[in-house]
Amino acid sequence: MATAAPASAVGTKPLVTVEDLRKRFPVSTGLFERSHSFVHAVDGVSFDLARGESFGLVGESGCGKTTTGRLLVRLAEPSDGRVLFDESGAAPTDITHLAGADLKAFRRRAQMIFQDPYESLNPRRTIFDTVAEPLKVQNACGPHECLERVSRMLEMVGLTPPEAYLFRYPHELSGGQRQRAAIARALVIEPIFVVADEPTSMLDVSIRTGVMQLMQSLADRLGISYLYITHDLAVARYMCSRIAVMYLGKIVEMGDTEAVLQQPKHPYTQALLSAVPIPDPTVTRAPVRIAGGVSTPVDPLPRCRFYDRCPIADDFCRDNDHPPLEDKGSGQLAACYKA
């Protein structure tokens, strides 16, 4: 398995800086009643993404990964916090306040690759129409130039010869080909920041590696920074130089990928890793015992989100607020009083 990208390949100044980002969804209580409860989908998330970096968000379903990604490309409106986008290296822009022409210009520089290629492509539009749509929305080219740019992009993602795919419909393509078309749609406008929401989870195992290699190659050629969302730690190790582990809307651990996977500090990260099978029957690994199932994200108590399931929690954890992310050594951050 390939290892994470070397730190030297990553720029030093952040392209994206996330500060105390929050998203709360009201819980419906009745047709004419005002909601007083909220799902805390993203709750105080902070991190930065360097130029040229592939940064991973990992965690189980429902932890807030996808919502975080949608907030970063303004497909959802944050309840609080800031997302700073620094394309020029001068004064960063807070994208949470963009509107109109400014928001449209931002969308040219930031795109999203969705998880399910069977749902994210319009079945009534040809591959050409689908991939060319961002160019037309942004008035980026005329008809002849659009055809050239779409054809070139299809070649770059491995749909060759492009003329064999331009006027096909999604149902005429395999799952891997559909996801390559979805990648082409996201990259044809030449963004510098891409949120990739589990782009290989719906694909057969036999073609996942090819799509991941394609995304890495395109990042190098086009200068793209990825926020890579996944629940698969092996995929995170392959794709990302740094990762953040999320649990119930909070980042509970963050650091260099190899450091987090080799020496996890937070009990939740340890539990995730203990569930990963080892392809060697002679190696045994003691499981981390955690209790119950995932707690509800509706109006959670201010204490540690992992308290109810944590095998090392005590009264101090119960009586204090959720712990902050603190350096536990060598730049590895964990939100745990006992780590």
Side-chain angles (χ1 to χ4, degrees):
M1 178 178 291
T3 57
S8 60
V10 176
T12 56
K13 188 164 185 177
L15 173 67
V16 178
T17 302
V18 181
E19 298 179 352
D20 201 27
L21 191 63
R22 299 174 189 271
K23 180 62 178 178
R24 295 181 291 273
F25 295 100
V27 177
S28 177
T29 55
L31 186 60
F32 300 106
E33 296 181 24
R34 184 175 181 180
S35 176
H36 296 287
S37 295
F38 295 87
V39 174
H40 292 237
V42 179
D43 197 2
V45 165
S46 299
F47 62 88
D48 56 49
L49 176 73
R51 298 170 188 274
E53 181 180 18
S54 182
F55 181 85
L57 276 184
V58 303
E60 59 195 301
S61 297
C63 70
K65 307 185 302 296
T66 295
T67 302
T68 300
R70 292 175 66 87
L71 292 171
L72 264 57
V73 293
R74 279 294 302 276
L75 291 180
E77 298 293 329
S79 302
D80 203 357
R82 301 200 303 168
V83 179
L84 304 179
F85 187 70
D86 187 5
E87 177 183 359
S88 63
T93 301
D94 184 358
I95 69 162
T96 60
H97 299 301
L98 294 181
D102 292 334
L103 180 57
K104 183 177 179 180
F106 167 71
R107 295 198 191 286
R108 186 166 185 165
R109 310 306 286 152
Q111 289 288 310
M112 187 165 184
I113 301 170
F114 297 95
Q115 178 177 2
D116 188 352
Y118 294 90
E119 296 291 338
S120 65
L121 300 182
N122 189 331
R124 298 186 178 184
R125 299 176 67 105
T126 66
I127 299 304
F128 169 76
D129 290 333
T130 296
V131 177
E133 184 174 11
L135 298 171
K136 295 176 180 177
V137 169
Q138 295 285 346
N139 298 316
C141 60
H144 295 296
E145 186 184 353
C146 273
L147 180 60
E148 293 177 4
R149 290 181 65 171
V150 170
S151 298
R152 188 163 61 247
M153 196 70 241
L154 292 182
E155 277 194 277
M156 291 181 70
V157 300
L159 294 178
T160 55
E163 54 270 18
Y165 295 92
L166 282 169
F167 301 107
R168 289 191 189 182
Y169 289 88
H171 73 270
E172 299 178 280
L173 275 59
S174 68
Q177 290 171 335
R178 289 188 193 195
Q179 193 61 294
R180 288 172 186 266
I183 293 170
R185 176 180 58 184
L187 302 188
V188 72
I189 201 68
E190 299 179 354
I192 60 174
F193 172 53
V194 173
V195 174
D197 184 11
E198 304 216 38
T200 62
S201 66
M202 300 292 292
L203 305 180
D204 292 339
V205 174
S206 59
I207 59 177
R208 286 183 187 178
T209 302
V211 172
M212 290 190 291
Q213 290 174 339
L214 168 67
M215 293 182 65
Q216 287 182 322
S217 173
L218 292 173
D220 294 337
R221 293 172 63 181
L222 304 177
I224 296 169
S225 300
Y226 286 124
L227 176 71
Y228 200 97
I229 296 169
T230 181
H231 66 276
D232 190 329
L233 294 174
V235 171
R237 186 182 186 190
Y238 190 97
M239 291 294 299
C240 305
S241 56
R242 290 190 302 140
I243 60 173
V245 181
M246 289 192 71
Y247 183 78
L248 280 183
K250 295 278 193 182
I251 290 179
V252 297
E253 186 159 357
M254 180 165 57
D256 290 341
T257 302
E258 286 301 316
V260 171
L261 297 184
Q262 295 297 331
Q263 294 185 320
K265 306 296 184 183
H266 196 279
Y268 176 64
T269 312
Q270 295 168 2
L272 283 180
L273 285 166
S274 72
V276 177
I278 301 175
D280 185 347
T282 64
V283 176
T284 59
R285 180 166 54 194
V288 177
R289 302 295 181 184
I290 58 176
V294 180
S295 305
T296 176
V298 178
D299 297 334
L301 295 173
R303 68 190 181 198
C304 175
R305 292 288 167 84
F306 196 56
Y307 171 80
D308 293 330
R309 306 180 69 190
C310 184
I312 61 173
D314 59 15
D315 291 347
F316 186 86
C317 303
R318 181 195 62 201
D319 298 334
N320 286 274
D321 290 344
H322 185 86
L325 276 172
E326 295 180 328
D327 193 337
K328 303 299 182 179
S330 303
Q332 191 170 337
L333 307 179
C336 182
Y337 292 120
K338 304 300 177 183

